Amino acid sequence: MQKSSRPGLLGNRDFGRLFAATALGQLGDRVIFLALPLVAIAALHADEFQMGLLTAMTSAGSLLVGLPAGAWVDRMRKQSVMISTDLARALFLLTVPVAWWAGLLTIWWLYAVALVHGVLTVFFDVAYVSYLPHLVGRSNLVEGNSKLSAIRSVTSISGPAVAGPLVGLVGAPATLLASSAGMAMSGLLAITIRKREKKPEPSVHPQLAREIKEGLKFVMKYPTLRAIMLGDAIFNLFLVMYQTMLLVFLEREIGLQPFGIGLILSGMGCGALLGALLATRVSKRVGPGPVIWLASLVTCPLTVLMPLARTGWSVYAAAIGLAALSLGGVVRVVTQSSFQQALTPDRLLGRMSATARFVSWGGIPLGGLLGGASGSVFGATGTLWIGAAGMTLSVLPNFLSPLRTMRTLPTERHPSSRVEASQMADKQVRTYDL
């Protein structure tokens, strides 16, 4: 018998195009992660509080449109949402270098671009998570999430590695041209995916509030989903506090140049890539529930190496700690994303994703503001200590939930009708949340 040479899902033409579009879009996004704060730090000389406010603007979209985004996306074809938001993000990012060259760029302009980009990213991410089960089928969710996480991790390595020297060569504002191009190409490539979704059937009496409530009710019914969201909310709050001061710490207290900062961020990408490659194997061996809390417990404490660092070799030891954080984070996210997708019926995927994002990411703007305020009071080093402690404590909700011993993903059939969905939810609660 001849063995197939098709590399799993990558042998699927449409998944391959989504994979390539993800690579281009994430490459652009990784450049933004380094270049946008450096525009504020180096080009506009932003202080610690302004950096915190910029972080808050970047993530405020989750609070502003987090819940209605799910209901709106569930009414539309997910592929169309992904394409339009990619192209719109490319256009708005392009305004930063244009404004810089025209002498019009201010910190308020950056706030506006960060806010609009963040709102569009909410819609893109909700559609992206909801689109995968349609494209690959529920039996392939862990493989699909792992491969997409792997390519996102590769771009986490290559993005900062490219962005650092590029910032040094042409300046941070001009570097955002690469981000805009990546987003645009991602959207154009997504257009070529042939597998079309069925247009969602419109509700007889569409009511946004009722649809949002239905999504909230579904998610809040599950102790496991509640624990995942709460753990993520705590983790993200303190992660953003940490990240808000990380570049300030590296640039102003350690004295690293953009190239060195880019190398550290690339190291985090290496950890994320290793996590993506190991996620499926670790989840099968340890069980999805234990992986979700063990990944954080093992890796989050290593973030204390950064505030301990000084100029010299200790910075590289701290960078290894950040790489470990990324490894654990990807293993956890791949596992819990697959769990959420497997448990949710198709018609509620958008609302589940949006609700989870609203709760999990709702603290990110607050984390940015707290990071900036903490940096003003305690300095960048003190804020890194606070962030490291908070990320470590985020393990508690998952550890104290049924996830502590859960060793299988939900595999029940996903109903289409509201009555069946309610019955299935009750059954799943009894089966998986003992």
Side-chain angles (χ1 to χ4, degrees), residues 222-236 238 289 292-294 296-297 332 336 359-360 389-405 433:
Y222 294 82
T224 48
L225 294 184
R226 294 199 304 268
I228 287 172
M229 289 190 300
L230 180 57
D232 272 359
I234 297 171
F235 177 84
N236 288 332
F238 287 99
I292 290 173
W293 61 268
L294 275 172
S296 296
L297 182 63
R332 175 177 58 84
Q336 68 189 32
V359 176
S360 301
M391 284 187 281
T392 302
L393 290 175
S394 70
V395 71
L396 289 176
N398 292 319
F399 178 76
L400 297 174
S401 79
L403 290 167
R404 184 174 63 255
T405 57
D433 296 329

Side-chain angles (χ1 to χ4, degrees), residues 60 109 117 138 167 193 205 327:
W109 192 299
H117 180 272
R138 293 178 180 274
V167 168
I193 296 175
H205 302 291
L327 186 155

Side-chain angles (χ1 to χ4, degrees), residues 188-207:
L188 294 174
L189 189 57
I191 295 174
T192 66
I193 296 175
R194 291 181 180 176
K195 187 174 183 181
R196 300 284 291 172
E197 308 162 77
K198 292 180 180 178
K199 188 174 182 180
E201 294 183 7
S203 175
V204 179
H205 302 291
Q207 294 181 0

Side-chain angles (χ1 to χ4, degrees), residues 195-273:
K195 187 174 183 181
R196 300 284 291 172
E197 308 162 77
K198 292 180 180 178
K199 188 174 182 180
E201 294 183 7
S203 175
V204 179
H205 302 291
Q207 294 181 0
L208 185 61
R210 179 183 59 77
E211 292 173 356
I212 292 173
K213 183 179 178 181
E214 187 180 8
L216 278 167
K217 184 177 180 181
F218 175 82
V219 172
M220 297 307 293
K221 178 175 287 190
Y222 294 82
T224 48
L225 294 184
R226 294 199 304 268
I228 287 172
M229 289 190 300
L230 180 57
D232 272 359
I234 297 171
F235 177 84
N236 288 332
L237 173 70
F238 287 99
L239 173 65
V240 172
M241 287 186 66
Y242 192 98
Q243 288 179 329
T244 299
M245 287 298 107
L246 178 60
L247 294 186
V248 176
F249 177 81
L250 293 173
E251 202 264 350
R252 293 180 180 170
E253 299 195 23
I254 300 297
L256 286 184
Q257 298 301 310
F259 179 74
I261 295 174
L263 286 180
I264 289 179
L265 297 182
S266 293
M268 294 178 69
C270 290
L273 175 59

Side-chain angles (χ1 to χ4, degrees), residues 221-396:
K221 178 175 287 190
Y222 294 82
T224 48
L225 294 184
R226 294 199 304 268
I228 287 172
M229 289 190 300
L230 180 57
D232 272 359
I234 297 171
F235 177 84
N236 288 332
L237 173 70
F238 287 99
L239 173 65
V240 172
M241 287 186 66
Y242 192 98
Q243 288 179 329
T244 299
M245 287 298 107
L246 178 60
L247 294 186
V248 176
F249 177 81
L250 293 173
E251 202 264 350
R252 293 180 180 170
E253 299 195 23
I254 300 297
L256 286 184
Q257 298 301 310
F259 179 74
I261 295 174
L263 286 180
I264 289 179
L265 297 182
S266 293
M268 294 178 69
C270 290
L273 175 59
L274 183 58
L277 296 175
L278 293 175
T280 302
R281 185 179 305 172
V282 172
S283 180
K284 288 180 179 178
R285 181 176 292 271
V286 180
V291 161
I292 290 173
W293 61 268
L294 275 172
S296 296
L297 182 63
V298 171
T299 60
C300 286
L302 298 177
T303 55
V304 301
L305 293 174
M306 185 56 72
L308 289 171
R310 298 295 179 266
T311 302
W313 65 268
S314 60
V315 176
Y316 302 104
I320 293 173
L322 294 183
L325 177 71
S326 295
L327 186 155
V330 170
V331 169
R332 175 177 58 84
V333 168
V334 166
T335 304
Q336 68 189 32
S337 294
S338 301
F339 177 89
Q340 291 166 321
Q341 290 165 335
L343 195 60
T344 307
D346 287 341
R347 66 184 189 83
L348 288 172
L349 277 168
R351 278 167 283 179
M352 178 280 296
S353 175
T355 301
R357 184 187 177 101
F358 178 79
V359 176
S360 301
W361 288 41
I364 290 181
L366 178 61
L369 294 174
L370 288 176
S374 176
S376 299
V377 176
F378 302 111
T381 303
T383 303
L384 293 182
W385 277 105
I386 295 170
M391 284 187 281
T392 302
L393 290 175
S394 70
V395 71
L396 289 176

Side-chain angles (χ1 to χ4, degrees), residues 39-40 43-44 95-110 113 173 176:
V39 171
L44 300 177
T95 69
V96 175
V98 170
W100 171 254
W101 289 325
L104 300 173
L105 187 63
T106 65
I107 192 66
W108 294 101
W109 192 299
L110 276 192
V113 170
L176 288 172

